Amino acid sequence: MKTMIRKSWAEPYKIKMVELLTMISHTQRNKAIHEAGYNTFLLRSENVYIDLLTDSGTSAMSDRQWAGMMMGDEAYAGSRNFYHLEEVVREIYGYKYLVPTHQGRGAENILSKILIKKGDIIPGNMYFTTTRLHQELAGGKFEDVIIAEAHDPENEFPFKGNIDMDKLERCIKKYSAKRIPYVSMATSVNMAGGQPISVANLKELRALTKKHGILVIHDMTRVAENAHFIQQRERGYANKSIKAIVKEICSYTDGATMSAKKDALVNIGGFLAINDRDIFEEARNMVVIYEGLHTYGGLAGRDMEAMAIGIRESVNDNHMHARVGQVVYLGEKMMSYGVPIVRPIGGHGIFVDAKRFLPHIPQHQFPAQTLAAEIFLDSGVRTMERGVVSAGRKANGENYYPKLELVRFTIPRRVYTQAHMDVIAESTARVFERREFINGLKMVYEPKYLRFFQARFAPL
Ligand code: F0G
């Protein structure tokens, strides 16, 4: 049977419209990154050649999605597109109730406000920046219960998104179930490098949380990519469709927050989905304060229509093989040049290990921030820091010093070609060749919240 499996991931689409790229000179890039305070978030996108800042809201929509945009029902209340989206969320993910939001963090805000009381503990499989901040702003404290392998960029464990059940049990024992409103479980753990959680682990999580009456809330931003890895790596799943695996994953959880800007192939959108009627009623009421009426949640009707269509496209097996296949292609190319990356290769991008790339730069001189700036300088490829700057400060003001100090090369869906991947890998290899001559940075401006977006730096 094995020989029947098609290895090639050639794109299951053809190109109907293109967006022209520009490439500025090295001198102009030098000026641009200086003006941006050596923070790639502060660059103007017109100065960027290949944009790998994020896979969020940067996907190319299909002709069907664009056609859906023309079918927007822009009624203030009860838009037809809302009901279509609700139907798709029920069918594909299996969650009962839907509250649309403008993007993922809108859902995180509402959910955290409803479920978290001051002094609560929220265990999770590694943090995500906005998710943890909303938990903290609601009075909670995040507790990392991901397996230790996730913090080691060289460990080849196939499910580095798994939860360490012993750690979680100890956490429940220590704080008591009463102080734990839910476990915050993400599929395709972003900060670990896009690493998946296994179905076996999810089943254990369900059993343990059920015993203690604790909810599981699923950050399902990249659930279909996680399903792809389950299909590839977990025993018994090789012949199941991505669609079936996605639904199974969701069935072990009580609700979800979604940034539809990733998996779901739209430029804007998100939602909160939940099975509990009372939580839904509260969320449906609260969304009116922060986002908009419960049948649009900060979105236009056309956005909800594009999302409904995008969700269906996201669970197509051919789509997902090409999507992750392109990421793997880039990762393997980088490894062939000796560039140290997080292994196994994750679903949404390549995470270069800045600690090994620039071992002479200590973490307080921001090796990953430095490397992202250097890669932009070399070729106009825009990446982003996922290390000490992204980790931010604890409530007591101390810096978090995460084990992982990474530069993320995030691949937008259906946007770039294999030739672009070659250019990206070659540029990274060039910077790698001159790595000894690269110096670190100092932070000269630090905003209060989510500092990585707006902090400024200067060369040492
Ligand atoms: N959860 C995860 C796992 C995410 O990756 C993101 C966003 C969010 C929640 C928040 O969603 O942006 O729609 O409000 N990640 C983007 C990124 C920003 O670049 O990884 P949002």
Side-chain angles (χ1 to χ4, degrees):
M1 274 309 283
K2 270 274 181 260
T3 52
M4 299 280 291
I5 294 171
R6 195 169 60 103
K7 279 223 152 153
S8 132
W9 49 265
E11 293 81 356
Y13 53 82
K14 56 184 178 176
I15 296 164
K16 196 185 294 242
M17 186 165 83
V18 297
E19 179 179 339
L20 300 184
L21 299 175
T22 51
M23 196 177 183
I24 59 175
S25 69
H26 190 274
T27 315
Q28 287 169 313
R29 285 199 294 274
N30 204 357
K31 184 164 174 275
I33 194 72
H34 181 75
E35 282 172 5
Y38 295 83
N39 184 347
T40 51
F41 274 103
L42 300 177
L43 287 166
R44 288 175 182 236
S45 90
E46 64 189 4
N47 290 331
V48 172
Y49 173 42
I50 300 174
D51 204 347
L52 309 183
L53 186 69
T54 176
D55 62 330
S56 183
T58 52
S59 297
M61 292 210 295
S62 67
D63 51 356
R64 281 150 210 257
Q65 286 177 290
W66 279 108
M69 297 284 280
M70 300 303 290
M71 306 292 280
D73 169 4
E74 307 307 342
Y76 189 89
S79 162
R80 160 166 34 87
N81 314 114
F82 166 77
Y83 295 105
H84 181 201
L85 179 63
E86 186 184 52
E87 177 195 309
V88 169
V89 167
R90 281 186 183 143
E91 181 199 322
I92 304 293
Y93 302 132
Y95 294 119
K96 276 194 200 145
Y97 305 112
L98 170 76
V99 178
T101 58
H102 78 286
Q103 58 183 74
R105 68 199 72 180
E108 291 166 357
N109 174 36
I110 291 167
L111 182 90
S112 302
K113 282 201 162 73
I114 293 173
L115 293 181
I116 300 172
K117 303 184 302 296
K118 196 167 165 40
D120 280 354
I121 304 293
I122 300 92
N125 53 346
M126 207 173 263
Y127 78 103
F128 184 72
T129 53
T130 58
T131 321
R132 185 177 67 189
L133 183 55
H134 278 299
Q135 292 164 356
E136 289 172 350
L137 290 173
K141 187 172 161 280
F142 172 82
E143 179 112 348
D144 190 8
V145 294
I146 202 164
I147 56 170
E149 287 88 337
H151 295 283
D152 175 3
E154 289 174 84
N155 191 301
E156 297 271 354
F157 190 69
F159 292 104
K160 283 162 87 172
N162 278 359
I163 289 175
D164 181 332
M165 286 300 151
D166 292 334
K167 255 192 222 167
L168 179 58
E169 244 184 308
R170 280 200 301 276
C171 177
I172 298 172
K173 211 172 238 161
K174 183 168 164 197
Y175 298 106
S176 92
K178 274 202 261 350
R179 283 181 65 191
I180 301 179
Y182 62 92
V183 175
S184 180
M185 183 283 293
T187 35
S188 296
V189 179
N190 191 352
M191 302 302 276
Q195 302 293 330
I197 183 168
S198 69
V199 169
N201 191 250
L202 282 166
K203 285 181 177 167
E204 283 184 71
L205 175 66
R206 179 73 292 178
L208 181 69
T209 50
K210 202 166 181 182
K211 194 171 100 188
H212 293 281
I214 298 172
L215 299 175
V216 175
I217 299 295
H218 175 197
D219 182 337
M220 64 181 302
T221 295
R222 297 180 184 85
V223 63
E225 288 169 8
N226 195 118
H228 169 84
F229 288 120
I230 288 171
Q231 190 186 53
Q232 299 287 308
R233 300 176 187 167
E234 193 158 359
R235 177 174 274 193
Y237 286 87
N239 295 316
K240 293 211 166 124
S241 65
I242 302 263
K243 189 174 170 196
I245 301 170
V246 163
K247 194 143 183 192
E248 182 174 348
I249 293 171
C250 296
S251 75
Y252 302 120
T253 71
D254 301 291
T257 54
M258 171 64 148
S259 170
K261 301 169 73 173
K262 284 79 163 176
D263 251 10
L265 299 161
V266 284
N267 304 121
I268 193 72
F271 57 76
L272 170 64
I274 196 92
N275 291 334
D276 182 273
R277 176 93 213 179
D278 295 336
I279 299 173
F280 165 65
E281 289 296 357
E282 221 177 316
R284 170 158 86 159
N285 187 213
M286 196 179 280
V287 77
V288 182
I289 311 172
Y290 296 105
E291 305 277 318
L293 192 72
H294 59 276
T295 56
Y296 76 84
L299 296 168
R302 55 181 175 265
D303 299 325
M304 292 188 284
E305 189 61 25
M307 199 195 306
I309 298 167
I311 288 171
R312 271 190 205 289
E313 291 179 1
S314 78
V315 296
N316 175 289
D317 282 76
N318 292 333
H319 161 69
M320 199 44 74
H321 287 163
R323 156 53 173 172
V324 180
Q326 187 178 48
V327 175
V328 171
Y329 175 84
L330 174 62
E332 287 177 347
K333 188 121 195 170
M334 287 211 190
M335 285 193 293
S336 76
Y337 291 123
V339 174
I341 65 170
V342 173
R343 300 288 326 265
I345 294 167
H348 65 306
I350 299 305
F351 291 68
V352 171
D353 185 353
K355 277 190 182 167
R356 275 187 291 152
F357 197 113
L358 298 171
H360 57 286
I361 301 183
Q363 202 169 13
H364 70 267
Q365 291 176 8
F366 314 109
Q369 190 77 31
T370 304
L371 183 52
E374 287 293 332
I375 285 162
F376 172 75
L377 262 176
D378 183 79
S379 57
V381 171
R382 171 156 68 171
T383 59
M384 73 169 284
E385 195 259 12
R386 284 274 97 138
V388 65
V389 184
S390 292
R393 290 179 190 274
K394 300 176 192 169
N396 67 8
E398 269 172 52
N399 274 309
Y400 283 106
Y401 277 103
K403 288 209 181 98
L404 298 178
E405 180 70 24
L406 310 173
V407 175
R408 188 179 72 171
F409 291 61
T410 345
I411 313 298
R413 295 162 187 80
R414 309 193 290 206
V415 171
Y416 293 112
T417 67
Q418 187 161 328
H420 289 117
M421 299 302 123
D422 292 339
V423 168
I424 296 157
E426 286 157 19
S427 166
T428 312
R430 260 195 316 270
V431 177
F432 191 56
E433 274 173 8
R434 59 173 178 82
R435 61 190 179 279
E436 295 142 56
F437 306 104
I438 297 172
N439 293 321
L441 295 168
K442 62 172 189 250
M443 202 187 295
V444 295
Y445 166 70
E446 178 175 356
K448 189 166 169 206
Y449 300 112
L450 301 175
R451 65 182 182 186
F452 58 97
F453 285 129
Q454 289 143 351
R456 301 183 70 85
F457 301 81
L460 281 171

